[in-house]
Amino acid sequence: MKRLLFLLPIWCFSCGISSNQTVDQETEEQVWTNPHLPNEERVSLLIAEMTIEEKASQMVNAASELSRFNIPEYEWWNEALHGLARSARATVFPQPIGLGATFDPDLLQRIGSAVADEGRAVYNLSQKVGNRRRYKGLTFWSPNVNIFRDARWGRGHETYGEDPFLAGQLGAAYVRGLQGDHPKYLKAAACAKHFGVHSGPETMRFNFDAVVSPKDLYETYLPAFQSLVDANVESVMCAYNQVNGEPCCGSSYFLNDLLRKEMGFKGHVVTDCGALFNIHHKQNYTGNDLETIQLAIRSGVNLNCGEIYAQIPEAVAQGYITEAEVDQCLSRLLLTRFKLGMFDPEELNPYNRIDSTVIHSAAHQALALEAAQKSIVLLKNKNGILPLQKSIPYVFVTGPMAANIDVLIGNYYGISDNMVTVLEGIASKTSAASSIRYQHGVLFNRFNTTPLGRGVHRAKVADVTIAVMGISGMMEGEDGETIASETNGDRVSIELPPSQMDYLRKMRKSCGDKPLVVVFTGGSPLNIAEVEEFADAIVYAWYPGEQGGQAVADILFGEVNPTGKLPMTFPMSEAQIPDFTDYSLEGRTYKYMKEKPLYTFGYGLTYGELKYSEISIVENTPQQFTASITLTNPTDKTVDDVIQLYTAVPRAEIASPQSSLQGVERVSIGAGEQQRLQFEISADMMSYVDHGGKKNRTDQLVEVYIGNCSPSQRSKELGGMFRKSVIDLSPKSI
């Protein structure tokens, strides 16, 4: 008996031809095109018809056209770190470290959805004109949820900071936004990178071996990835380096045992670009490229960003791997393309209807502004000098970053036609009756120690001087991208460039009793302890995206309350940071740092101050408690803030974190009003990780902190607020 089969050539879909042009076939050659079959079955049917050469051609990032299947070429390599990147005109959102400072998962999900909309629009248009170049696809190699463990790491600003809970919450929200909520189709495919332990040094990233204990692995390096796996992230990128002697892209333990079996990952694994080449040619871990293919295939690497997998047919022919092993790897990879709807009639996938009107739309620009506003951290505000009055008679704006577009966009950026510098933002706020002057003042590059020294005299007569200082992506970033870095993108020192520091000293002297407001740009901690002593106000703006200058001005002039919180600890100097190559968490991050930092994790001031009641704790079950606190706004204006929950297990059998972030709640409380907050405290929050990486619930005391910063003496000194309570789990005597 002959079967009626559904044939729908792929070229029809990409050209927008209706499914009414399908034909019935008596051959089973194209049965995989039937959109009514389960995707897994369709993948198997397609693979069964492919030659080994065709299979290999689909397992590299630049996948070839398969004309006999009407499958066009596809470039898997696409970027969307904080907006559609390297592709077309797009909305540029704040760099991820700035997004980390928002402590706002809902915001991240909305941003992810906006980015995917713009990506879909560009993809839909590009397919119609046959533009299938790199960065025109739907598989986005974002977000980066590595832990920013060392302030000197150049790529740290691609992450959400030093805390695994925060990185996991924000990264998972971004994934949900990118991938959408359709029951069948992905809007775009997100990627968690770089699995599983990776945070520099950039100079050694291709062959470095990160030695990590099971405790640090499970307590710090893996949890954010687990959060993204739980959010059904479609792909995971393995890192360049080795971990505990094994290449990340050639470790069956990491990719099969940990990622797939223990963590439950179901998608495909892609290598960082060139990582398989490095395994033999730079790490000398394998004897030749065919051994590398064997190692990678059996470790579960589905997609090679590079060209090593082009030799798969030879590896099969020489017995290094079997074709069945290739089929298993390819099946997971092709499944992603089916989920994206690439082989279905155009009208079945609602995402195919997203058009160019969403690209850099007014709504997306407003979202970029909101994100920038929420990311900016107010570090100091002596005597309430901020916010400034718009009617202030004379404003002097100076500094190398005031009119600098590079400090808006960070890295892995898109291009916008509406970028607002800090200078432009400030100019938009001041009254027409006010005077505003600008001078560059000083070179930013730290190799230039001689300041231009221009404009210092203006601070004597200005009613306020706003100095916009800091660093840019030219000084910190990825290996090969930082033209002003002598260490491949990492920083030798976290000091402010000497030329800028000297200029600020002169500016402070010239200001006299007039206020000096300093705005810093950058993607990582700077040692600004001296500036902390003499500046009247300090604002940290990160790389705030296309609307960053407007957002800074909104904060400075009080149109928006600052609510940004530091997503990582700012040390006093690099002397407080352990050796860069030491991946142990001892002495690192707010959890284990013993010395007094300059600024603490979670710290950030706002306009106004809330009053906190004592924490009330109610036992619901022996495994779960509810902590409550009442916040009161005694001022005559609305106060916005980000309230944070921390727990600690001080009597754990081994060293445990001094505190750990466990919950976040954004509040906006009107003048004279109160708000009651509740946080659920689960068994996991009352646990610690032992030396073997196992989580154990304590039977002793659990400390509970609720406040607007991480709990420490330094937080109190800086003006942070938190309350403490205790849960006693010790056995009660009868």
Side-chain angles (χ1 to χ4, degrees):
M1 182 176 180
K2 297 180 180 178
R3 296 172 60 192
L4 287 178
L5 300 173
F6 198 99
L7 173 61
L8 206 58
I10 300 307
W11 60 267
C12 292
F13 309 151
S14 61
C15 297
I17 296 177
S18 167
S19 62
N20 292 331
Q21 293 181 307
T22 61
V23 295
D24 291 333
Q25 296 286 319
E26 294 183 356
T27 171
E28 297 188 10
E29 183 180 14
Q30 300 273 312
V31 68
W32 63 273
T33 62
N34 185 348
H36 305 294
L37 293 176
N39 283 335
E40 291 78 6
E41 183 177 347
R42 296 170 70 187
V43 168
S44 296
L45 290 167
L46 174 58
I47 289 177
E49 297 297 320
M50 297 170 70
T51 66
I52 187 63
E53 289 76 17
E54 288 171 332
K55 294 171 184 177
S57 75
Q58 301 303 295
M59 297 175 70
V60 292
N61 62 286
S64 302
E65 176 188 11
L66 298 180
S67 57
R68 73 187 185 99
F69 295 109
N70 293 313
I71 296 178
E73 62 183 315
Y74 180 70
E75 175 57 76
W76 289 85
W77 186 349
N78 305 277
E79 303 288 355
L81 185 66
H82 56 118
L84 186 65
R86 301 175 175 177
S87 178
R89 179 172 59 92
T91 308
V92 184
F93 295 93
Q95 188 76 353
I97 191 66
L99 295 177
T102 70
F103 279 52
D104 193 339
D106 173 73
L107 175 67
L108 268 289
Q109 184 161 339
R110 288 185 284 133
I111 291 173
S113 182
V115 173
D117 282 345
E118 296 193 8
R120 265 287 175 178
V122 169
Y123 173 79
N124 293 341
L125 289 169
S126 299
Q127 290 295 299
K128 288 179 181 179
V129 300
N131 183 357
R132 299 184 175 90
R133 292 184 178 92
R134 184 174 295 171
Y135 310 129
K136 296 295 183 181
L138 294 172
T139 44
F140 295 126
W141 292 349
S142 303
N144 183 341
V145 291
N146 290 133
I147 298 302
F148 198 171
R149 68 181 177 92
D150 194 298
R152 296 163 295 197
W153 182 34
R155 296 189 71 179
H157 55 88
E158 297 177 24
T159 77
Y160 300 117
E162 71 184 21
D163 183 74
F165 173 83
L166 182 64
Q169 291 288 304
L170 298 179
Y174 194 64
V175 166
R176 289 191 293 268
L178 279 175
Q179 297 190 169
D181 57 2
H182 194 276
K184 180 176 181 180
Y185 296 110
L186 295 172
K187 189 190 299 189
C191 176
K193 64 183 188 185
H194 309 81
F195 191 77
V197 181
H198 175 78
S199 53
E202 284 294 292
T203 54
M204 306 164 65
R205 65 177 179 164
F206 297 131
N207 53 18
F208 180 73
D209 183 14
V211 178
V212 180
S213 70
K215 173 179 168 59
D216 287 340
L217 184 65
Y218 279 90
E219 185 177 81
T220 300
Y221 292 111
L222 291 183
F225 286 99
Q226 182 67 70
S227 295
L228 269 63
V229 169
D230 293 342
N232 298 313
V233 69
E234 185 62 19
S235 67
V236 167
M237 177 181 286
C238 49
Y240 285 120
N241 56 284
Q242 297 185 6
V243 176
N244 295 338
E246 286 189 302
C248 290
C249 292
S251 171
S252 184
Y253 169 70
F254 265 88
L255 300 181
N256 287 326
D257 297 343
L258 266 183
L259 182 61
R260 294 199 183 278
K261 295 177 183 176
E262 185 174 327
M263 299 173 70
F265 177 63
K266 304 298 183 185
H268 72 263
V269 171
V270 56
T271 72
D272 208 337
C273 296
L276 293 191
F277 175 88
N278 295 341
I279 289 176
H280 167 58
H281 296 274
K282 295 189 177 182
Q283 298 176 10
N284 298 314
Y285 192 83
T286 56
N288 54 52
D289 288 342
L290 299 187
E291 285 187 11
T292 298
I293 291 172
Q294 179 188 65
L295 180 69
I297 290 287
R298 291 179 177 173
S299 296
V301 174
N302 309 98
L303 176 62
N304 168 209
C305 184
E307 300 177 351
I308 296 295
Y309 270 9
Q311 301 176 58
I312 282 177
E314 184 179 355
V316 171
Q318 294 193 30
Y320 283 88
I321 53 173
T322 66
E323 191 164 356
E325 289 175 309
V326 175
D327 291 350
Q328 183 181 27
C329 272
L330 178 59
S331 65
R332 285 196 176 106
L333 186 60
L334 286 178
L335 187 58
T336 298
R337 294 185 70 176
F338 278 88
K339 289 180 181 179
L340 289 165
M342 292 181 175
F343 308 134
D344 285 4
E346 183 176 328
E347 66 273 13
L348 292 183
N349 185 346
Y351 299 130
N352 289 331
R353 294 190 285 274
I354 298 176
D355 61 26
S356 62
T357 59
V358 305
I359 298 174
H360 202 229
S361 64
H364 290 181
Q365 292 179 58
L367 184 59
L369 176 59
E370 178 190 349
Q373 291 167 340
K374 289 181 174 180
S375 73
I376 293 168
V377 184
L378 178 61
L379 295 175
K380 182 180 180 180
N381 192 20
K382 181 181 178 182
N383 298 325
I385 187 65
L386 297 179
L388 301 172
Q389 297 297 315
K390 294 181 180 179
S391 59
I392 191 166
Y394 186 173
V395 179
F396 175 45
V397 182
T398 187
M401 306 310 185
N404 189 319
I405 288 178
D406 284 337
V407 300
L408 301 179
I409 57 180
N411 72 346
Y412 284 90
Y413 51 81
I415 301 298
S416 163
D417 56 352
N418 181 27
M419 295 188 185
V420 184
T421 66
V422 175
L423 177 62
E424 290 170 320
I426 293 171
S428 74
K429 299 298 180 186
T430 54
S431 166
S434 301
S435 296
I436 181 169
R437 292 296 301 269
Y438 161 71
Q439 280 191 295
H440 193 284
V442 62
L443 296 176
F444 81 91
N445 194 329
R446 73 183 187 87
F447 302 122
N448 185 300
T449 58
T450 304
L452 295 179
R454 294 175 182 165
V456 172
H457 67 284
R458 299 195 188 281
K460 294 180 179 180
V461 294
D463 292 289
V464 64
T465 296
I466 303 173
V468 190
M469 318 298 280
I471 57 178
S472 77
M474 287 191 283
M475 299 174 68
E476 60 174 354
E478 187 171 8
D479 178 24
E481 297 292 326
T482 49
I483 60 175
S485 170
E486 59 184 0
T487 51
N488 299 65
D490 292 329
R491 289 191 294 148
V492 174
S493 170
I494 65 171
E495 301 299 313
L496 189 67
S499 57
Q500 295 187 41
M501 194 66 244
D502 183 62
Y503 186 65
L504 282 174
R505 293 186 190 108
K506 293 178 180 178
M507 192 66 63
R508 174 69 273 176
K509 184 177 180 180
S510 181
C511 283
D513 294 333
K514 304 287 184 66
L516 172 62
V517 177
V518 184
V519 177
F520 285 107
T521 66
S524 56
L526 289 168
N527 176 14
I528 51 175
E530 185 179 348
V531 183
E532 165 70 28
E533 293 179 0
F534 65 66
D536 295 284
I538 301 175
V539 170
Y540 215 86
W542 313 104
Y543 301 132
E546 63 169 57
Q547 299 298 312
Q550 190 66 55
V552 169
D554 288 340
I555 298 294
L556 294 179
F557 288 89
E559 291 194 5
V560 173
N561 284 337
T563 57
K565 304 292 181 180
L566 292 180
M568 66 181 305
T569 306
F570 275 43
M572 288 285 188
S573 71
E574 57 266 19
Q576 292 184 329
I577 311 173
D579 184 89
F580 200 171
T581 60
D582 182 1
Y583 268 70
S584 166
L585 269 295
E586 184 178 355
R588 292 189 185 276
T589 80
Y590 75 99
K591 294 187 176 186
Y592 289 104
M593 184 177 180
K594 300 298 184 183
E595 298 92 344
K596 180 190 293 187
L598 178 59
Y599 300 116
T600 57
F601 173 87
Y603 169 72
L605 301 174
T606 190
Y607 298 148
E609 184 176 322
L610 299 174
K611 302 298 183 183
Y612 291 65
S613 71
E614 297 298 326
I615 299 173
S616 171
I617 295 181
V618 175
E619 180 178 356
N620 302 317
T621 72
Q623 299 292 319
Q624 194 263 340
F625 294 77
T626 298
S628 303
I629 195 167
T630 298
L631 306 178
T632 303
N633 177 7
T635 73
D636 59 357
K637 295 181 179 179
T638 297
V639 175
D640 301 305
D641 212 342
V642 175
I643 310 304
Q644 304 154 46
L645 169 72
Y646 294 82
T647 62
V649 184
R651 298 183 186 176
E653 295 179 1
I654 63 173
S656 62
Q658 296 168 130
S659 65
S660 296
L661 181 67
Q662 305 285 7
V664 173
E665 189 74 32
R666 179 173 289 272
V667 299
S668 181
I669 304 178
E673 295 182 355
Q674 289 185 341
Q675 186 170 332
R676 187 74 172 170
L677 293 185
Q678 291 187 337
F679 292 96
E680 301 304 314
I681 300 177
S682 66
D684 273 355
M685 299 178 188
M686 300 182 285
S687 302
Y688 63 93
V689 178
D690 64 22
H691 290 303
K694 182 180 178 181
K695 188 168 286 187
N696 300 271
R697 189 192 173 196
T698 184
D699 59 359
Q700 299 293 320
L701 298 181
V702 177
E703 295 175 344
V704 177
Y705 301 89
I706 299 177
N708 62 2
C709 56
S710 58
S712 70
Q713 181 59 39
R714 180 57 176 160
S715 293
K716 288 183 179 179
E717 294 171 359
L718 290 167
M721 177 65 194
F722 57 86
R723 294 289 189 186
K724 174 184 176 181
S725 189
V726 174
I727 300 174
D728 188 354
L729 298 174
S730 58
K732 306 298 189 293
S733 58
I734 300 176

